[in-house]
Amino acid sequence: MTPTLFDVYEILGLVVDGEPVTCHAFSDLHEFIENNLGIFPTEGNLTTIKHSWLKANFRELPLDATLVEVVTYTQAYLLFLINVTIFVDASVATVPTRYLQFVDNIEQASRSVWGIAVLAYLYHSLRKAFTFK
Protein backbone atom coordinates (compact mmCIF):
# COMPACT_ATOMS: atom_id res chain seq x y z
CA MET A 1 0.00 0.00 0.00
CA THR A 2 1.42 3.36 -1.03
CA PRO A 3 0.94 6.44 1.18
CA THR A 4 -1.15 9.14 -0.49
CA LEU A 5 -1.77 12.85 0.06
CA PHE A 6 -5.00 11.91 1.79
CA ASP A 7 -3.00 9.78 4.26
CA VAL A 8 -0.59 12.65 4.94
CA TYR A 9 -3.51 15.00 5.56
CA GLU A 10 -5.41 12.54 7.77
CA ILE A 11 -2.43 11.24 9.78
CA LEU A 12 -0.28 14.36 10.10
CA GLY A 13 -2.87 17.06 9.55
CA LEU A 14 -0.57 18.87 7.12
CA VAL A 15 -1.87 21.19 4.43
CA VAL A 16 -2.01 19.68 0.93
CA ASP A 17 -3.18 22.80 -0.93
CA GLY A 18 -1.39 26.15 -1.16
CA GLU A 19 2.06 27.53 -1.97
CA PRO A 20 4.80 24.99 -2.83
CA VAL A 21 7.71 24.36 -0.47
CA THR A 22 10.80 25.14 -2.53
CA CYS A 23 14.55 25.39 -1.97
CA HIS A 24 16.97 27.89 -3.41
CA ALA A 25 20.75 27.97 -3.50
CA PHE A 26 22.86 30.21 -1.26
CA SER A 27 25.92 32.14 -2.31
CA ASP A 28 27.19 32.52 1.27
CA LEU A 29 26.05 30.04 3.97
CA HIS A 30 27.85 31.97 6.71
CA GLU A 31 25.89 35.14 5.88
CA PHE A 32 22.60 33.27 5.45
CA ILE A 33 22.87 31.59 8.87
CA GLU A 34 23.94 34.81 10.58
CA ASN A 35 21.10 36.78 8.96
CA ASN A 36 18.52 34.26 10.18
CA LEU A 37 19.88 33.17 13.57
CA GLY A 38 22.04 36.14 14.51
CA ILE A 39 25.05 33.87 15.05
CA PHE A 40 26.65 30.97 13.22
CA PRO A 41 28.46 27.78 14.22
CA THR A 42 32.22 28.27 14.38
CA GLU A 43 33.02 24.57 14.11
CA GLY A 44 32.31 22.07 11.36
CA ASN A 45 30.77 22.32 7.95
CA LEU A 46 28.11 25.02 7.55
CA THR A 47 25.94 22.79 5.33
CA THR A 48 24.58 21.20 8.52
CA ILE A 49 23.91 22.56 11.99
CA LYS A 50 24.29 20.34 15.03
CA HIS A 51 21.27 19.95 17.27
CA SER A 52 23.61 20.40 20.24
CA TRP A 53 24.64 23.82 18.88
CA LEU A 54 20.99 24.86 18.47
CA LYS A 55 20.21 23.73 22.02
CA ALA A 56 23.28 25.45 23.46
CA ASN A 57 22.45 28.78 21.82
CA PHE A 58 18.65 28.84 21.69
CA ARG A 59 17.46 26.64 24.55
CA GLU A 60 15.94 29.34 26.72
CA LEU A 61 14.58 32.69 25.61
CA PRO A 62 15.88 35.56 27.79
CA LEU A 63 13.23 37.17 30.00
CA ASP A 64 13.93 40.59 28.48
CA ALA A 65 13.92 39.32 24.89
CA THR A 66 13.26 41.74 22.07
CA LEU A 67 10.85 40.96 19.24
CA VAL A 68 13.83 40.16 17.00
CA GLU A 69 15.12 37.64 19.58
CA VAL A 70 11.68 36.03 19.88
CA VAL A 71 11.55 35.56 16.10
CA THR A 72 15.13 34.24 16.03
CA TYR A 73 14.51 31.72 18.81
CA THR A 74 11.28 30.67 17.10
CA GLN A 75 13.15 30.11 13.83
CA ALA A 76 15.80 28.02 15.61
CA TYR A 77 13.10 25.90 17.27
CA LEU A 78 11.17 25.43 14.03
CA LEU A 79 14.38 24.47 12.24
CA PHE A 80 14.93 21.72 14.81
CA LEU A 81 11.25 20.70 14.74
CA ILE A 82 11.13 20.41 10.94
CA ASN A 83 14.16 18.13 11.05
CA VAL A 84 12.87 15.75 13.71
CA THR A 85 9.21 15.60 12.64
CA ILE A 86 8.71 16.41 8.96
CA PHE A 87 11.99 15.60 7.21
CA VAL A 88 13.19 12.82 9.48
CA ASP A 89 16.58 11.40 8.57
CA ALA A 90 18.91 8.78 10.04
CA SER A 91 21.34 11.55 11.02
CA VAL A 92 19.35 12.81 13.97
CA ALA A 93 22.25 14.86 15.36
CA THR A 94 22.26 17.51 12.62
CA VAL A 95 19.85 19.53 10.54
CA PRO A 96 20.66 20.61 6.97
CA THR A 97 21.21 24.37 6.80
CA ARG A 98 18.99 24.56 3.71
CA TYR A 99 15.97 23.89 5.96
CA LEU A 100 16.51 27.31 7.54
CA GLN A 101 15.00 28.89 4.42
CA PHE A 102 11.69 27.19 5.27
CA VAL A 103 11.39 29.31 8.43
CA ASP A 104 13.01 32.43 6.98
CA ASN A 105 9.55 33.95 6.57
CA ILE A 106 7.25 32.39 9.18
CA GLU A 107 4.12 33.92 7.63
CA GLN A 108 4.95 32.33 4.26
CA ALA A 109 5.70 29.00 5.94
CA SER A 110 2.15 28.83 7.28
CA ARG A 111 0.79 29.04 3.71
CA SER A 112 3.11 26.38 2.34
CA VAL A 113 1.98 22.93 1.22
CA TRP A 114 3.86 20.86 3.79
CA GLY A 115 1.86 17.71 3.08
CA ILE A 116 3.15 17.43 -0.48
CA ALA A 117 6.72 18.16 0.68
CA VAL A 118 6.51 15.41 3.31
CA LEU A 119 5.13 12.89 0.83
CA ALA A 120 7.78 13.74 -1.77
CA TYR A 121 10.50 13.43 0.89
CA LEU A 122 9.09 10.06 1.98
CA TYR A 123 9.04 8.75 -1.60
CA HIS A 124 12.58 10.02 -2.18
CA SER A 125 13.82 8.40 1.04
CA LEU A 126 12.15 5.09 0.19
CA ARG A 127 13.66 5.10 -3.30
CA LYS A 128 17.13 5.70 -1.80
CA ALA A 129 16.60 2.98 0.78
CA PHE A 130 15.59 0.37 -1.76
CA THR A 131 18.04 1.22 -4.53
CA PHE A 132 20.64 -1.49 -4.78
CA LYS A 133 24.03 -0.95 -6.34
Side-chain angles (χ1 to χ4, degrees):
M1 184 169 157
T2 303
T4 65
L5 273 178
F6 180 75
D7 297 327
V8 170
Y9 175 76
E10 286 293 311
I11 295 168
L12 300 175
L14 293 174
V15 177
V16 295
D17 186 28
E19 298 293 319
V21 176
T22 59
C23 288
H24 57 274
F26 309 107
S27 57
D28 186 354
L29 278 176
H30 173 277
E31 181 182 353
F32 179 71
I33 295 168
E34 191 169 20
N35 287 345
N36 283 281
L37 297 178
I39 57 174
F40 61 92
T42 56
E43 298 177 0
N45 185 343
L46 291 180
T47 59
T48 61
I49 299 173
K50 293 182 179 181
H51 289 177
S52 59
W53 183 83
L54 286 171
K55 288 179 185 178
N57 290 285
F58 299 101
R59 185 174 190 90
E60 196 169 318
L61 185 66
L63 293 175
D64 59 343
T66 65
L67 181 58
V68 171
E69 288 176 312
V70 170
V71 170
T72 301
Y73 275 66
T74 302
Q75 286 177 312
Y77 176 71
L78 290 173
L79 177 64
F80 172 78
L81 193 63
I82 285 172
N83 186 236
V84 298
T85 60
I86 295 179
F87 301 122
V88 179
D89 196 336
S91 65
V92 295
T94 62
V95 56
T97 302
R98 69 181 177 271
Y99 292 178
L100 188 54
Q101 65 188 300
F102 299 147
V103 297
D104 186 21
N105 182 344
I106 294 174
E107 291 177 8
Q108 175 62 34
S110 67
R111 293 189 298 266
S112 297
V113 193
W114 290 102
I116 292 173
V118 168
L119 191 60
Y121 184 81
L122 173 65
Y123 287 161
H124 176 73
S125 299
L126 288 171
R127 184 179 58 85
K128 278 180 23 181
F130 292 103
T131 300
F132 300 101
K133 295 182 181 182

